[in-house]
Amino acid sequence: MKFDTPAGPNPIDRMKVVGQPHDRVDGPLKVTGTAPYAYERHAVAPGALYGFILGAAIAKGRIAAIDTRRADAAPGVKAVVSYLNAGPLGKGGKNTAKLLAGPEVDHYHQAVAIVVADTFEQARAAARLIDVDYVRGSGAFDLAAAAPTAPLTGGSSKEGSAAPKLDRVGDFESAFAAAPVTLDATYTTPDEAHAMMEPFATIAAWDGDRLTVWTSNQMINWAHEDLAKTLGFAPDKLRVDSPFIGGGFGGKLFLRADAVMAALGAKAAGRPVKVAMTRPMMFNNATHRPATIQRIRLGAERSGKLTAIAHEATSGDLPGGSPETATSQTKLLYAAPNRLIGQRLAVLDLPEGNAMRAPGEASGLMALEIAMDEMAEKLGLDPVEFRIVNDTQVDPEKPGRQFSQRQLVRCLREGAERFGWRARDAQPGRRRDGDTLIGLGVATAFRNNINMKSGARVRLGGDGVVTVETDMTDIGTGSYTVIAQTAAEMMGVGLDRVVVRLGDSDFPTSSGSGGQWGGNSSTSGVYAACVKLREAVAQRLGLDPAACDFADGEVRSGGRGVALTSAARDGELVADDTMTYGTLGKQYQQSTFGAHFVEVGVDAYTGEIRVRRMLAVCAAGRILNPKTARSQVIGAMTMGVGGALMEELVVDTRFGFFVNHDLAGYEVPVHADIPHQEVVFLDEADDKVSPMKAKGVGELGLCGVGAAVANAAYNATGVRIRDYPLTLDKHLDRLPEVGAMRRA
Amino acid sequence: MECTDGLHLSRRGVLAGGVASVAVAAAPAAEARLASAAPPAMMPVSLEVNGRHHDLRLDPRTTLLDTLRDHLQLTGTKKGCDHGQCGACTVIVNGHRINSCLSLAVQHDRDRITTIEGLGTPDRLHPMQAAFVRHDGFQCGYCTPGQICSAVAVLDEIKAGIPSHVSHDLATPMRPTNTELRERMSGNICRCGAYSNIAEAITEVAGAAA
């Protein structure tokens, strides 16, 4: 089915099942520990051996020699594989760095070898007995040092966000020079880690020249393609299966070393092999969100109307990599006749930079939305009003192009009302609660909506059960549940009559999970397959499909109702289809919007920032399941607090690696850091997007949160911090005098 | 470290052995000798897991976590970091929650262990498990068994009057306030960020139990 004209009324509009806050259908499995994640699938490969990956001890250089004799001789060892005996390997199309080092080493902890042994303890011990002689090369590891000479480079996050190397509208320089009120400030965001709870893990088993990997990957189709390409064999001999995924956030979008090394180890040992990457290896072995340096210039009339916007961002990546497209949202978010966007990319020899939740916008809004707060203050305007004054209903670069739906202003107004924004003191540092300085902050949330082609197969069994099969993944997003709701709504049955099977490359190719496209795209694919199944049912029952209504387990036509089950009495009905998209996404700018409101308390003595209240108001099309969508947003808000206050991969610029490479050193929010969170979804249905009329929401929730926290901290203290994360050392020496506060 | 069948190692003995291993690991020659020696002697250990008795013979390096996951195939207990930094491996041992990755199985001879599988099943959920489903206290589900084991133990700790870092008044009975719950649950990381919902799930169960 091709979606090329705006959706008319359809069965989803009934919203008897879709749009309802159903509990997750996979909930009982997850809360009882019976949902099988990659490493836990004992039944699929009984007697699997254990693999342990050794990572490179240098960031850049080459391997002069590898001596595996001691490891080979260690108890229980069945195989040791390095580049010396792995055979020729290709590189996945979506990998920047190859996944097995040798002889060149491209980054620290790049996989060097795998040891396969009878037990985990034996493999781990033997991995330490591999002697590797490295020749250390020189590399570039310091973004600040490399930035001044970094060339202009456009790019795409491969996950929806894209920015050109240079984009000009009007005459920015003249308008900025002429503007009565201006801001010119530079902001930095650090390298960040996905830090999903489930480590990269794979069980690999060969059957002759056929390979199956049970792994943990967000994009089955990408993993399938790239693993076949890396190992150099035909994709039809490979099966990738990933029914449960313990978080990804973009870290599992791509084929990673666990799958490649498990496959190589299993081949060498002649038996199935299971591999889980150790936590301390994940941070440097895999991808991360690259650090950025962002310069923002704003020029406005005294009324608050922006006349000039410039956003220039620099990030770094390995040779052949791509930029963190932090300027992406600035193309579309606020009106101004004169605009400049520039994107620079330095070559750095740190681990591979790549997509992490809301790549581009997450980093970009951390900077842009502080700049908007600073500008509002210069103008003497309320930050909410300043954003409203500069709203646009058209693409600012192409004014003939409208947004499919844009309710940013309503998000801001409704949020301000609900949050009690009026209580905010425009002059910072004046509100106190005992020894705590109180501040309120706001930021806009913005993230583009992306539609991806997505297929599904739907079966109606003789027992009346509707089974959906698609290689879509559920990374905690609720795919199982919203897909079940979609099939139930379309076929007119209860959720208890629907079975959803996901994550298997033998199933029709789906959108996968990334770029907040998964919910809308995968359910649209299921919609398409269900339309076909409805036709098959009607045909089997001798009814006109166009005149049939599917409800309450019946097919109704002309005042007559027939049990749905009766259509499959003489045999299962199967329908298979893929939703594809026309040009509506080009005709209309499809984006999602929101407003984040945050209250923080800053300890007047220590400078410690604590989040006290959070509210997000989101406008993201039809919400398929308010319960799981809300969870996506509160989870993103939590990640946003991490980005604002604590998350930072610390670069050792001498040796070229992330120093704090475990969950004690790389701090993420814990229970104590997160208060009760409120989320409001505006009632929307976007007919330009898909028959589901839904858009993405999982990344929107993260966009802008960091800046809302930073703006609240400024409102509390009067000290502006432009370098994330906002650790207390960055404002402690400039906080209001405690004595003065006491007197007040 | 020499072991014979039937020998019950004291905690002190295991610690001494651990220190010795670190020392040899730092010396390649000694490590090579250690590695090329015969496989380590297996050690017997008896565990009572979810009411079932298990007699095992284990490589003494095996953690309680890997024993549960790989030897007993109780994979509800998760390995998130293997370093005691994330809490995904939380189980209840003799009534107290611990990170099972931080202790060796041989330290737990004759201990009583409750894992997520021992709390409830998909058809018969423990009240805490049911509350997590109702409040959507999870997303990817990987930290969830650890969160739930922790939550069950936290309510017992509060009931037993065990104070936490945020307990201001030790003279009055401990109460499961939002601040107490969040402080006590902070060893269990949820990267999906379901904290707000988890707190509500635990509060509901605490209220029902009170």
Side-chain angles (χ1 to χ4, degrees):
Chain A
M1 181 181 285
K2 186 168 187 181
F3 184 77
D4 50 9
T5 52
N10 68 44
I12 299 296
D13 294 332
R14 294 183 296 195
M15 293 182 70
K16 283 174 77 174
V17 194
V18 169
Q20 301 303 315
H22 286 289
D23 290 345
R24 278 170 208 264
V25 297
D26 51 337
L29 292 181
K30 285 182 172 174
V31 300
T32 53
T34 48
Y37 296 83
Y39 196 76
E40 301 163 358
R41 307 199 50 191
H42 301 286
V44 298
L49 299 169
Y50 291 79
F52 194 92
I53 302 174
L54 178 71
I58 60 168
K60 175 92 178 150
R62 63 186 175 82
I63 297 168
I66 300 181
D67 183 349
T68 63
R69 284 173 295 177
R70 292 195 302 147
D72 287 323
V77 171
K78 293 287 187 284
V80 181
V81 183
S82 71
Y83 84 97
L84 294 174
N85 60 345
L89 292 178
K91 183 162 78 73
K94 292 190 165 60
N95 296 124
T96 305
K98 60 186 192 290
L99 297 174
L100 175 61
E104 299 82 19
V105 173
D106 304 306
H107 63 87
Y108 189 75
H109 273 178
Q110 189 174 28
V112 163
I114 182 169
V115 176
V116 176
D118 287 325
T119 71
F120 171 69
E121 292 76 21
Q122 290 169 335
R124 181 179 56 189
R128 302 179 56 141
L129 301 177
I130 300 174
D131 297 306
V132 187
D133 278 343
Y134 295 101
V135 177
R136 191 191 303 275
S138 61
F141 308 117
D142 186 345
L143 177 62
T149 55
L152 284 165
T153 309
S156 164
S157 65
K158 302 173 195 138
E159 223 213 357
S161 169
K165 59 182 183 182
L166 193 64
D167 206 4
R168 285 180 175 277
V169 176
D171 179 354
F172 169 78
E173 281 80 2
S174 303
F176 184 70
V181 183
T182 60
L183 172 84
D184 182 348
T186 298
Y187 307 85
T188 63
T189 63
D191 297 286
E192 288 183 357
H194 307 85
M196 56 292 199
M197 297 310 295
E198 183 204 16
F200 297 105
T202 298
I203 300 177
W206 293 87
D207 178 8
D209 65 346
R210 303 184 71 84
L211 171 67
T212 303
V213 293
W214 294 273
T215 188
S216 185
N217 194 291
Q218 301 173 223
M219 298 290 296
I220 298 302
N221 189 38
W222 293 2
H224 191 256
E225 245 171 48
D226 275 351
L227 184 55
K229 194 172 172 200
T230 302
L231 298 177
F233 72 103
D236 61 359
K237 292 188 166 25
L238 171 65
R239 179 174 163 232
V240 177
D241 191 31
S242 225
F244 288 95
I245 295 153
F249 315 112
K252 293 175 181 167
L253 281 170
F254 312 111
L255 176 72
R256 297 304 317 165
D258 57 308
V260 174
M261 299 310 285
L264 294 174
K267 188 158 211 180
R271 275 172 62 184
V273 167
K274 56 198 282 188
V275 175
M277 196 175 290
T278 64
R279 178 62 61 177
M281 193 167 163
M282 289 172 65
F283 294 78
N284 284 286
N285 175 274
T287 62
H288 66 278
R289 187 201 302 281
T292 64
I293 300 171
Q294 303 180 47
R295 181 185 183 197
I296 294 175
R297 284 173 287 172
L298 302 175
E301 295 165 0
R302 293 204 187 280
S303 66
K305 277 266 182 213
L306 286 166
T307 53
I309 300 178
H311 192 165
E312 294 156 282
T314 305
S315 61
D317 201 359
L318 288 165
S322 52
E324 178 68 22
T325 52
T327 58
S328 174
Q329 71 291 320
T330 310
K331 289 164 64 68
L332 293 161
L333 193 45
Y334 297 116
N338 303 289
R339 319 173 69 89
L340 166 65
I341 279 165
Q343 184 80 57
R344 291 178 184 275
L345 178 64
V347 169
L348 292 183
D349 299 296
L350 290 171
E352 176 175 331
N354 220 317
M356 177 168 151
R357 198 175 198 169
E361 284 96 334
S363 311
L365 285 163
M366 285 168 87
L368 179 64
E369 288 299 292
I370 295 186
M372 290 296 284
D373 200 63
E374 296 200 55
M375 194 66 178
E377 189 179 34
K378 285 192 170 208
L379 288 158
L381 281 175
D382 179 90
V384 170
E385 289 309 314
F386 177 51
R387 288 171 171 87
I388 290 171
V389 164
N390 290 291
D391 183 50
T392 174
Q393 290 296 310
V394 296
D395 177 345
E397 294 189 352
K398 302 184 190 86
R401 186 167 172 258
Q402 294 194 319
F403 284 89
S404 60
Q405 197 163 23
R406 175 167 167 137
Q407 297 207 69
L408 172 60
V409 171
R410 235 189 100 196
C411 291
L412 286 161
R413 289 217 192 283
E414 185 152 346
E417 183 62 33
R418 285 174 181 261
F419 200 67
W421 183 250
R422 260 172 302 185
R424 175 180 177 270
D425 192 328
Q427 191 182 328
R430 288 211 306 203
R431 239 184 104 191
R432 287 142 209 175
D433 176 2
D435 291 334
T436 305
L437 302 160
I438 309 294
L440 268 59
V442 66
T444 294
F446 174 92
R447 171 81 171 145
N448 283 335
N449 177 72
I450 301 135
N451 292 327
M452 293 278 277
K453 186 172 105 168
S454 196
R457 182 160 54 228
V458 191
R459 304 170 183 277
L460 175 64
D463 53 2
V465 171
V466 177
T467 303
V468 185
E469 295 169 340
T470 164
D471 82 359
M472 180 58 189
T473 51
D474 189 330
I475 60 173
T477 38
S479 309
Y480 276 107
T481 310
V482 295
I483 285 174
Q485 287 175 273
T486 302
E489 192 80 80
M490 289 300 289
M491 301 312 297
V493 298
L495 263 189
D496 60 336
R497 308 302 289 163
V498 180
V499 172
V500 179
R501 300 174 66 201
L502 300 181
D504 189 333
S505 62
D506 286 350
F507 295 154
T509 303
S510 74
S511 62
S513 300
Q516 77 168 7
W517 61 56
N520 177 47
S521 298
S522 69
T523 53
S524 294
V526 173
Y527 174 97
C530 285
V531 167
K532 271 204 174 167
L533 184 60
R534 286 163 63 113
E535 287 165 7
V537 167
Q539 200 174 15
R540 180 76 63 90
L541 298 175
L543 301 169
D544 172 12
C548 285
D549 182 27
F550 289 65
D552 306 322
E554 287 189 345
V555 187
R556 292 170 189 156
S557 179
R560 192 167 72 91
V562 187
L564 177 67
T565 317
S566 63
R569 191 172 293 143
D570 301 329
E572 183 186 58
L573 288 172
V574 185
D576 193 319
D577 202 5
T578 296
M579 181 64 82
T580 60
Y581 295 87
T583 55
L584 282 174
K586 288 210 169 65
Q587 257 175 279
Y588 296 91
Q589 176 55 41
Q590 300 178 356
S591 303
T592 61
F593 302 89
H596 287 289
F597 291 83
V598 172
E599 178 181 305
V600 302
V602 180
D603 187 295
Y605 289 89
T606 67
E608 184 189 11
I609 303 170
R610 310 284 301 166
V611 176
R612 291 158 62 107
R613 292 194 296 136
M614 298 185 85
L615 164 70
V617 181
C618 301
R622 174 176 282 154
I623 298 303
L624 301 176
N625 179 327
K627 185 176 268 193
T628 54
R630 179 180 172 279
S631 286
Q632 281 285 289
V633 176
I634 66 166
M637 290 157 79
T638 301
M639 191 174 273
V641 170
L645 298 181
M646 61 195 84
E647 292 186 36
E648 176 179 19
L649 286 166
V650 178
V651 180
D652 183 322
T653 54
R654 302 160 305 162
F655 295 105
F657 70 105
F658 299 128
V659 179
N660 49 339
H661 52 86
D662 63 26
L663 288 171
Y666 186 84
E667 294 182 4
V668 300
V670 299
H671 280 273
D673 299 314
I674 303 299
H676 174 75
Q677 295 161 319
E678 294 282 353
V679 180
V680 174
F681 294 112
L682 298 188
D683 193 12
E684 283 195 343
D686 191 333
D687 63 356
K688 315 287 194 306
V689 170
S690 77
M692 302 303 294
K693 304 176 186 173
K695 291 189 279 201
V697 73
E699 297 188 337
L700 176 69
L702 173 60
C703 294
V705 178
V709 173
N711 294 338
Y714 172 76
N715 184 241
T717 64
V719 182
R720 183 65 75 177
I721 303 175
R722 299 188 182 90
D723 301 298
Y724 290 97
L726 280 65
T727 47
L728 55 86
D729 53 297
K730 292 175 184 164
H731 66 180
L732 188 59
D733 60 345
R734 293 180 286 161
L735 289 181
E737 285 291 329
V738 173
M741 179 179 136
R742 282 278 150 142
R743 282 194 301 276
Chain B
M1 183 182 350
E2 272 198 18
C3 305
T4 53
D5 286 358
L7 172 70
H8 290 301
L9 265 196
S10 67
R11 176 159 298 158
R12 188 189 162 89
V14 170
L15 280 177
V19 171
S21 316
V22 171
V24 293
E31 191 176 4
R33 279 199 304 279
L34 185 73
S36 54
M42 303 295 267
M43 289 188 63
V45 60
S46 299
L47 304 173
E48 190 194 309
V49 184
N50 302 329
R52 248 187 89 189
H53 185 86
H54 298 273
D55 286 314
L56 301 163
R57 293 180 60 78
L58 296 171
D59 182 326
R61 296 170 294 185
T62 313
T63 61
L64 177 59
L65 172 60
D66 287 334
T67 303
L68 294 169
R69 283 170 64 80
D70 289 329
H71 295 267
L72 301 179
Q73 304 204 348
L74 292 169
T75 51
T77 308
K78 304 302 183 194
K79 185 186 280 192
C81 71
D82 222 10
H83 280 62
Q85 299 167 346
C86 78
C89 66
T90 306
V91 297
I92 302 168
V93 177
N94 301 331
H96 301 287
R97 58 185 171 141
I98 66 161
N99 287 329
S100 61
C101 73
L102 285 187
S103 82
L104 299 171
V106 293
Q107 293 171 269
H108 292 283
D109 195 38
R110 287 177 285 190
D111 278 353
R112 210 160 25 83
I113 296 154
T114 302
T115 70
I116 191 71
E117 291 93 343
L119 290 179
T121 61
D123 297 327
R124 262 190 28 198
L125 297 177
H126 181 280
M128 190 66 79
Q129 292 170 321
F132 267 62
V133 173
R134 214 162 30 246
H135 290 275
D136 213 30
F138 58 94
Q139 292 177 42
C140 81
Y142 199 77
C143 75
T144 312
Q147 300 278 355
I148 291 172
C149 284
S150 240
V152 168
V154 158
L155 294 187
D156 287 343
E157 285 162 23
I158 292 172
K159 207 175 287 174
I162 299 169
S164 82
H165 174 65
V166 297
S167 309
H168 291 300
D169 183 1
L170 303 184
T172 57
M174 225 44 85
R175 292 194 50 248
T177 62
N178 179 266
T179 309
E180 277 287 355
L181 293 176
R182 283 167 50 198
E183 167 62 24
R184 291 168 191 265
M185 289 298 294
S186 284
N188 290 85
I189 295 175
C190 170
R191 184 58 162 162
C192 294
Y195 297 130
S196 180
N197 289 353
I198 293 172
E200 273 149 42
I202 303 174
T203 301
E204 182 185 287
V205 176

Coordinates of all heavy atoms in Angstrom, one line a residue, chain A residues 129-171:
Chain A
L129 N 45.7 -13.8 28.5 CA 47.0 -14.5 28.2 C 47.4 -14.2 26.7 O 48.4 -14.8 26.2 CB 46.8 -16.0 28.4 CG 46.5 -16.4 29.9 CD1 46.3 -17.9 30.0 CD2 47.6 -15.8 30.8
I130 N 46.5 -13.5 26.0 CA 46.9 -13.1 24.6 C 47.9 -12.0 24.7 O 47.7 -11.0 25.3 CB 45.7 -12.7 23.8 CG1 44.7 -13.8 23.7 CG2 46.1 -12.3 22.4 CD1 43.3 -13.4 23.1
D131 N 49.1 -12.2 24.0 CA 50.1 -11.2 24.0 C 50.0 -10.4 22.7 O 50.2 -11.0 21.6 CB 51.5 -11.8 24.1 CG 51.7 -12.5 25.5 OD1 51.4 -11.9 26.5 OD2 52.0 -13.7 25.5
V132 N 49.7 -9.1 22.8 CA 49.6 -8.3 21.6 C 50.7 -7.2 21.7 O 50.9 -6.5 22.7 CB 48.3 -7.6 21.6 CG1 48.1 -6.9 20.2 CG2 47.1 -8.6 21.7
D133 N 51.5 -7.2 20.6 CA 52.5 -6.1 20.5 C 51.9 -5.0 19.7 O 51.6 -5.2 18.5 CB 53.8 -6.6 19.8 CG 54.7 -7.3 20.8 OD1 54.5 -7.1 22.0 OD2 55.6 -8.0 20.4
Y134 N 51.8 -3.8 20.2 CA 51.2 -2.7 19.5 C 52.3 -1.7 19.1 O 53.3 -1.5 19.8 CB 50.2 -1.9 20.4 CG 49.0 -2.7 20.8 CD1 48.9 -3.3 22.0 CD2 47.9 -2.9 19.9 CE1 47.7 -4.0 22.4 CE2 46.8 -3.6 20.2 CZ 46.7 -4.1 21.5 OH 45.6 -4.8 21.9
V135 N 52.1 -1.1 18.0 CA 52.9 0.1 17.6 C 52.0 1.3 17.7 O 51.1 1.4 16.8 CB 53.6 -0.1 16.2 CG1 54.4 1.2 15.9 CG2 54.4 -1.3 16.2
R136 N 52.2 2.1 18.7 CA 51.3 3.2 18.9 C 51.5 4.3 17.8 O 52.6 4.7 17.6 CB 51.4 3.8 20.3 CG 50.4 4.8 20.7 CD 50.7 5.5 22.0 NE 51.0 4.6 23.1 CZ 50.1 4.1 23.9 NH1 48.8 4.4 23.7 NH2 50.4 3.3 24.9
G137 N 50.4 4.7 17.2 CA 50.5 5.8 16.2 C 50.1 7.1 16.9 O 49.5 7.1 18.0
S138 N 50.2 8.2 16.2 CA 49.7 9.4 16.7 C 48.3 9.7 16.2 O 48.0 9.3 15.1 CB 50.6 10.6 16.4 OG 50.6 10.8 15.0
G139 N 47.4 10.2 17.0 CA 46.1 10.5 16.6 C 45.6 11.8 17.1 O 46.2 12.5 17.9
A140 N 44.4 12.2 16.6 CA 43.8 13.5 17.1 C 42.6 13.1 18.0 O 41.8 12.3 17.6 CB 43.3 14.3 15.9
F141 N 42.7 13.6 19.2 CA 41.6 13.2 20.2 C 40.9 14.4 20.8 O 40.1 14.2 21.6 CB 42.3 12.4 21.3 CG 43.1 11.2 20.7 CD1 44.5 11.2 21.0 CD2 42.5 10.2 20.0 CE1 45.3 10.1 20.5 CE2 43.3 9.2 19.5 CZ 44.7 9.1 19.8
D142 N 41.3 15.6 20.4 CA 40.9 16.8 21.2 C 40.0 17.7 20.2 O 40.5 18.3 19.3 CB 42.1 17.6 21.7 CG 41.7 18.8 22.6 OD1 40.5 19.1 22.6 OD2 42.6 19.3 23.2
L143 N 38.7 17.6 20.5 CA 37.8 18.4 19.6 C 38.1 19.9 19.6 O 38.1 20.5 18.5 CB 36.3 18.1 20.0 CG 35.3 18.9 19.2 CD1 35.3 18.5 17.7 CD2 33.9 18.7 19.7
A144 N 38.4 20.4 20.7 CA 38.6 21.9 20.8 C 39.8 22.3 20.0 O 39.9 23.3 19.3 CB 38.8 22.3 22.3
A145 N 40.8 21.4 20.0 CA 42.1 21.7 19.2 C 41.8 21.5 17.7 O 42.4 22.2 16.9 CB 43.2 20.7 19.7
A146 N 41.0 20.6 17.4 CA 40.8 20.3 15.9 C 39.7 21.2 15.3 O 39.7 21.3 14.1 CB 40.4 18.8 15.8
A147 N 38.9 21.8 16.1 CA 37.7 22.5 15.6 C 38.1 23.7 14.7 O 37.5 23.9 13.6 CB 36.9 23.0 16.8
P148 N 39.1 24.5 15.0 CA 39.4 25.7 14.2 C 39.7 25.3 12.7 O 39.5 26.2 11.9 CB 40.6 26.3 14.9 CG 40.5 25.8 16.3 CD 40.0 24.5 16.2
T149 N 40.2 24.2 12.5 CA 40.6 23.8 11.1 C 39.6 22.8 10.5 O 39.9 22.2 9.4 CB 42.0 23.3 11.0 OG1 42.1 22.2 11.9 CG2 43.0 24.3 11.4
A150 N 38.5 22.5 11.2 CA 37.6 21.4 10.7 C 36.9 22.0 9.5 O 36.3 23.1 9.5 CB 36.6 21.1 11.8
P151 N 36.8 21.2 8.4 CA 36.1 21.6 7.2 C 34.6 21.6 7.3 O 34.1 20.8 8.1 CB 36.6 20.7 6.1 CG 37.0 19.4 6.9 CD 37.4 19.9 8.3
L152 N 33.9 22.4 6.6 CA 32.5 22.4 6.5 C 32.1 21.1 5.9 O 32.6 20.6 4.9 CB 32.0 23.5 5.6 CG 32.0 24.9 6.2 CD1 31.8 26.0 5.1 CD2 30.9 25.1 7.2
T153 N 31.2 20.4 6.6 CA 30.7 19.1 6.2 C 29.3 18.9 6.5 O 28.9 19.0 7.7 CB 31.5 18.0 6.9 OG1 32.9 18.3 6.8 CG2 31.3 16.6 6.3
G154 N 28.5 18.6 5.5 CA 27.1 18.3 5.8 C 26.9 16.9 6.1 O 27.9 16.1 6.0
G155 N 25.8 16.5 6.5 CA 25.6 15.1 6.9 C 24.2 14.8 7.3 O 23.4 15.6 7.5
S156 N 24.0 13.4 7.5 CA 22.8 12.9 8.0 C 23.1 12.0 9.1 O 24.1 11.3 9.1 CB 22.0 12.2 6.9 OG 21.0 11.4 7.5
S157 N 22.3 12.0 10.2 CA 22.5 11.1 11.3 C 22.1 9.6 10.9 O 22.3 8.7 11.6 CB 21.6 11.5 12.4 OG 20.2 11.3 12.1
K158 N 21.6 9.4 9.7 CA 21.1 8.2 9.2 C 19.9 7.8 10.0 O 19.4 6.7 10.0 CB 22.1 7.0 9.3 CG 23.4 7.3 8.5 CD 24.4 6.2 8.8 CE 25.8 6.6 8.3 NZ 26.8 6.2 9.3
E159 N 19.4 8.7 10.8 CA 18.3 8.5 11.7 C 17.3 9.6 11.6 O 16.6 9.9 12.6 CB 18.8 8.3 13.1 CG 18.2 7.1 13.8 CD 18.1 7.4 15.3 OE1 18.5 8.5 15.8 OE2 17.5 6.6 16.0
G160 N 17.3 10.3 10.5 CA 16.3 11.3 10.3 C 16.8 12.7 10.3 O 16.3 13.6 9.5
S161 N 17.7 13.0 11.2 CA 18.2 14.4 11.3 C 19.3 14.6 10.3 O 20.2 13.8 10.1 CB 18.7 14.6 12.7 OG 19.4 15.8 12.8
A162 N 19.2 15.7 9.6 CA 20.2 16.0 8.6 C 20.5 17.5 8.6 O 19.6 18.3 8.9 CB 19.8 15.5 7.2
A163 N 21.7 17.9 8.2 CA 22.0 19.3 8.1 C 23.0 19.5 7.0 O 24.0 18.7 6.8 CB 22.6 19.8 9.4
P164 N 22.8 20.5 6.2 CA 23.8 20.8 5.1 C 25.1 21.4 5.7 O 25.1 21.9 6.8 CB 23.1 21.8 4.2 CG 22.2 22.5 5.2 CD 21.8 21.5 6.3
K165 N 26.1 21.5 4.9 CA 27.4 22.0 5.4 C 27.2 23.6 5.6 O 27.7 24.1 6.5 CB 28.6 21.7 4.6 CG 28.5 22.1 3.1 CD 29.8 21.6 2.4 CE 29.8 22.1 1.0 NZ 31.0 21.6 0.3
L166 N 26.5 24.1 4.6 CA 26.3 25.6 4.7 C 24.9 25.9 4.1 O 24.6 25.4 3.1 CB 27.4 26.3 4.0 CG 27.5 27.8 4.2 CD1 27.8 28.1 5.7 CD2 28.5 28.4 3.3
D167 N 24.2 26.7 4.8 CA 22.8 27.0 4.3 C 22.6 28.5 4.6 O 22.7 28.9 5.8 CB 21.8 26.1 5.1 CG 20.6 25.9 4.4 OD1 20.5 26.3 3.2 OD2 19.7 25.2 4.9
R168 N 22.3 29.2 3.6 CA 22.0 30.7 3.8 C 20.7 31.1 3.3 O 20.3 30.7 2.2 CB 23.1 31.5 3.1 CG 24.5 31.5 3.8 CD 25.4 32.4 2.9 NE 26.7 32.5 3.6 CZ 26.9 33.4 4.5 NH1 26.0 34.2 5.0 NH2 28.1 33.4 5.1
V169 N 20.0 31.9 4.0 CA 18.7 32.5 3.6 C 18.9 34.0 3.9 O 19.3 34.4 5.0 CB 17.5 32.0 4.3 CG1 16.2 32.7 3.9 CG2 17.4 30.5 4.0
G170 N 18.6 34.9 3.0 CA 18.7 36.3 3.2 C 20.2 36.7 3.4 O 21.1 36.1 2.8
D171 N 20.4 37.7 4.2 CA 21.8 38.2 4.4 C 22.0 38.2 5.9 O 21.7 39.2 6.6 CB 22.0 39.5 3.8 CG 23.4 40.1 4.0 OD1 24.2 39.5 4.8 OD2 23.7 41.2 3.5

